[in-house]
């Protein structure tokens, strides 16, 4: 059984930065693509970013391109989301997820991911 635990969320002012972490249990972390999604109240879950199993490929949602960076450390079984130039519209619960397989290109649909963390709240407000 795979468990994903997010951390690093909180309250930040517009223009600020946060770094989210997602620690995974199990010994197969390095074999799978990973992704970050977010969900704001009353909205559908939205793809934020994804990274291939090796870390060699990444993909981002249009609303975060140029501001967010996804990375991973397979030795630590952890995936990160560095968020810069945060905006109030980035406010949401952020989830990390493990992909069902390796995808080319990186999967952006929620159905392509089978394990999810519990989420961490990010609030951008002055």
């Amino acid at each position: 059984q795979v468990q994903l635990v997010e951390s690093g969320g909180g309250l930040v002012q517009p223009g600020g930065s946060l770094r989210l972490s997602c620690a995974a249990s199990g010994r197969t972390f390095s074999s799978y693509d990973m992704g970050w999604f977010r969900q704001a109240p009353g909205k559908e879950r939205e793809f934020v970013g994804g990274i291939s199993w090796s870390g060699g490929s990444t993909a981002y949602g249009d609303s975060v391109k140029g501001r967010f960076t996804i990375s991973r450390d397979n030795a630590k079984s952890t995936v990160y989301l560095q968020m810069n130039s945060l905006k109030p519209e980035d406010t949401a619960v952020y989830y990390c997820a493990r992909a069902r397989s390796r995808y080319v290109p990186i999967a952006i649909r929620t159905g392509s991911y089978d394990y999810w963390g519990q989420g961490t709240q990010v609030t951008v407000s002055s």
Side-chain angles (χ1 to χ4, degrees):
Q1 186 73 8
V2 175
Q3 289 189 327
L4 303 174
V5 180
E6 301 98 336
S7 61
L11 173 64
V12 62
Q13 292 186 341
S17 298
L18 278 177
R19 187 195 197 201
L20 305 184
S21 299
C22 173
S25 66
R27 292 177 287 181
T28 60
F29 176 82
S30 62
S31 298
Y32 294 88
D33 298 350
M34 297 293 295
W36 284 97
F37 291 77
R38 67 186 182 186
Q39 189 165 20
K43 295 188 176 181
E44 293 187 353
R45 194 164 293 190
E46 173 189 21
F47 175 76
V48 174
I51 188 166
S52 63
W53 62 276
S54 66
S57 297
T58 57
Y60 298 94
D62 288 342
S63 61
V64 306
K65 281 181 182 177
R67 300 187 297 122
F68 291 12
T69 302
I70 188 171
S71 61
R72 67 189 296 162
D73 185 337
N74 285 343
K76 295 182 178 180
S77 296
T78 301
V79 62
Y80 304 97
L81 184 68
Q82 177 67 43
M83 306 185 294
N84 299 328
S85 301
L86 283 160
K87 305 174 181 180
E89 51 263 44
D90 294 318
T91 296
V93 177
Y94 283 71
Y95 299 90
C96 73
R98 194 194 78 169
R100 295 182 185 276
S101 183
R102 302 175 182 180
Y103 295 91
V104 179
I106 290 170
I108 64 172
R109 296 183 302 109
T110 57
S112 298
Y113 294 79
D114 55 0
Y115 289 98
W116 295 81
Q118 82 289 349
T120 185
Q121 176 71 46
V122 172
T123 302
V124 184
S125 175
S126 55

